[in-house]
Structures are given as structure tokens and as C-alpha cells.
Amino acid sequence: MTTTTRERAGKSKDIIKNDGKTFFEFTDRITAFNGLKKDEYPDKGEVCCRLSTYWFEILEREGIPTHFRAFVPPNVMEVEYLEIIPIEVIWRNFVAGSLLKRYEGGETPGAGIEPRLGARIPGGICEFTTKFEAIDRLIDRQEILDNRWLTREELDLIREFTRRVNDIMNEHLLEKGILLADFKIEFGKNLAGEILLADEVGTPDGCRFWDAGSYVEGKIESLDKDVYRYEKGDLSDAYATIMQRICG
Ligand code: TMP
Ligand code: ASP
């Protein structure tokens, strides 16, 4: 007899365990501002599942180890079961979102960074937040080490994987006229203790995608969850557009 269990894995995905296998179901749920705003949009789960599949396959080919095992159309993915490392890793190429808010609140920008929306961040920056606190809180390397969430070597490896994920996604997106302003990824450890890229990657839920042509003209055209966060248009249209532009 096989047993199937389902639980929530984050705000927009369910985790299904069946016959010793683990699956992520990408639902149509969407939330923002720590769950204060929530809705459902048709086909949103399918878009995020297809885009994650697209990127996981590219990243695996490029030597980044990931939890991706198989795409189960239209909105389910088989994954390797991991123990999630309790941090979110953010890479930023341009000033936006909570970084802009921090500058507006008086934080001094790093060398060479202009504190305005859309300013390019030379070389990019990697930041960490907590994952399992009620509100994601920015943390530094020392707090991660002090909590024994990772060793120094593991933290360096995660930063290096994140830098490579950024380089690989950027290379593909630039050909398609899309700027990757920033993104968030997560990592976990498998039973062998190896660190793998987890969760989802390269979706409009976890990345800021900007149209490169509009950027050159001095405008920011969002093709991601900012459409929903800041009511800039119809989310289903924006998500269908970005999927079409990335995966064809
Ligand atoms: P932030 O500027 O709001 O900190 O977001 C940075 C990036 O991380 C952006 O691409 C959106 C993504 N992100 C998530 O995927 N989940 C979250 O809970 C938050 C706050 C941001
Ligand atoms: N994912 C977070 C939430 O659900 C924040 C965000 O993406 O804006 O509230």
C-alpha cells in the first residue's frame, strides 16, 4: 500500500510525499509583504514550475548540483529530499526592493553604488536573510556561523554557487533582452551531506526581471512579482510573457 502526504512548503508550493518520492506542486497561490497580500492566479503555478525546470536543467548541465529530478507536467516537479538550510540567499545586480528601502532609511551604500532605483551594482552583491522567522531578517555571515547553520567552507561554497547561478542566468537572459535585477535562492543538504540548490529558481516569484530595452530608455518594465506587489498590471499576462520570452 502506498501512502501519500501533502503539506505546505512555503506560501506558494505544496510538498507531496508518495511511495518514498518527494514532489513539489507549484500552486496558483501568490502572497506578498509577508503574507499580508494574497491571491490566486490561473496558470501561475505552471509558469513557475516550467521556468524552474528550464533553469534547473541548464544549471545541472553547467555543474551546479540541484534537487531537481523530473518535471511532471504541468505543475509538479520530482525532487531529491533535502534538509533545508535555514537561510535565503539574495544576489543583486541592480538597486531595487528592500535594498532601495534600506538606502531610503539611511543605510550607506557600498563603494560605487548609487542609492537610486535601477542603479547598477558593480560586481553584484550577495546577501543572506533568515528563512524560518516570521519576517525575513537580513543577517551577516557571522550570525550564520555562530548559529552553526553552515561552516565557513559551506558558506563560501553557497556564495560561489549563487555567483555562478547569476552568471549563467544573466548570459541566457541578456540574449533575450531581459535584465536580472536580483533573485533569491535556497539550498539544502541531502542524506550524503552534499549541498544542493533547492526550492525554485529563475521564476518571476523569486527574481526581478526587467525589460532591457525599456531600461535603456530610462524606464523600469517589471516582468515579475513586482507587477503584483505594486499593482503594475495583470500578473497572469506578465508571467505568460516572461515564460514565453525565456523558454520560447
Ligand atoms: P527584496 O528586494 O524584497 O529583498 O527581494 C530580493 C529578491 O528576492 C527579489 O528578486 C524577490 C525575491 N524574494 C523572494 O523570492 N521571496 C521573498 O520572500 C522576498 C522578500 C524576496
Ligand atoms: N514571499 C513573501 C511573501 O509571501 C514576500 C514577497 O515576495 O514580497 O509575503
Side-chain angles (χ1 to χ4, degrees):
M1 196 183 80
T2 61
T3 51
T4 306
T5 60
R6 174 189 285 263
E7 60 190 75
R8 285 203 168 189
K11 299 187 184 82
S12 65
K13 290 185 290 292
D14 286 351
I15 188 160
I16 299 165
K17 292 196 186 130
N18 178 270
D19 215 8
K21 291 183 172 180
T22 305
F23 300 88
F24 269 7
E25 182 175 309
F26 289 68
T27 74
D28 289 340
R29 300 192 298 263
I30 186 163
T31 71
F33 308 117
N34 297 302
L36 283 178
K37 187 172 176 182
K38 52 181 147 183
D39 286 284
E40 290 202 16
Y41 281 88
D43 304 329
K44 184 219 163 225
E46 179 173 346
V47 166
C48 290
C49 192
R50 284 186 186 278
L51 274 166
S52 288
T53 298
Y54 173 87
W55 289 116
F56 276 131
E57 286 177 340
I58 290 176
L59 294 167
E60 284 277 353
R61 282 202 297 275
E62 297 280 348
I64 307 276
T66 82
H67 74 157
F68 176 78
R69 290 296 163 265
F71 176 43
V72 187
N75 67 327
V76 175
M77 182 180 287
E78 186 187 340
V79 298
E80 181 170 343
Y81 181 78
L82 303 180
E83 192 183 322
I84 293 298
I85 296 163
I87 59 172
E88 303 196 341
V89 187
I90 294 164
W91 187 276
R92 300 182 187 274
N93 298 308
F94 293 87
V95 173
S98 67
L99 181 64
L100 179 65
K101 284 214 183 73
R102 274 152 50 199
Y103 292 157
E104 287 167 353
E107 182 176 311
T108 308
I113 307 176
E114 259 183 83
R116 63 168 171 85
L117 176 65
R120 192 180 277 277
I121 300 173
I125 49 175
C126 185
E127 299 185 319
F128 305 99
T129 71
T130 55
K131 176 167 168 61
F132 294 120
E133 295 184 0
I135 291 180
D136 299 339
R137 177 174 57 86
L138 196 66
I139 48 173
D140 60 14
R141 282 176 62 99
Q142 197 55 49
E143 183 169 347
I144 296 170
L145 298 174
D146 289 348
N147 286 329
R148 296 183 186 279
W149 286 336
L150 291 169
T151 65
R152 202 172 289 278
E153 293 69 32
E154 289 172 334
L155 195 47
D156 288 344
L157 182 67
I158 279 181
R159 190 190 188 283
E160 178 56 15
F161 280 155
T162 307
R163 190 191 63 74
R164 283 172 56 196
V165 169
N166 179 60
D167 287 353
I168 294 162
M169 287 207 290
N170 258 324
E171 197 188 313
H172 284 256
L173 290 169
L174 280 177
E175 285 169 14
K176 295 166 183 186
I178 299 160
L179 296 179
L180 180 61
D182 56 30
F183 64 91
K184 184 269 299 182
I185 50 179
E186 298 178 22
F187 292 87
K189 270 188 197 170
N190 65 11
L191 293 174
E194 294 158 336
I195 292 183
L196 273 62
L197 179 62
D199 194 53
E200 61 181 85
V201 63
T203 70
D205 270 12
C207 301
R208 285 198 171 90
F209 295 121
W210 294 344
D211 178 69
S214 302
Y215 182 85
V216 170
E217 289 165 12
K219 294 184 297 247
I220 289 184
E221 185 190 340
S222 298
L223 298 164
D224 55 56
K225 193 170 158 182
D226 273 352
V227 167
Y228 173 73
R229 290 191 188 95
Y230 304 113
E231 298 182 3
K232 291 173 159 202
D234 181 76
L235 176 129
S236 292
D237 286 351
Y239 277 38
T241 301
I242 193 71
M243 183 169 80
Q244 184 60 34
R245 284 183 63 174
I246 294 179
C247 311

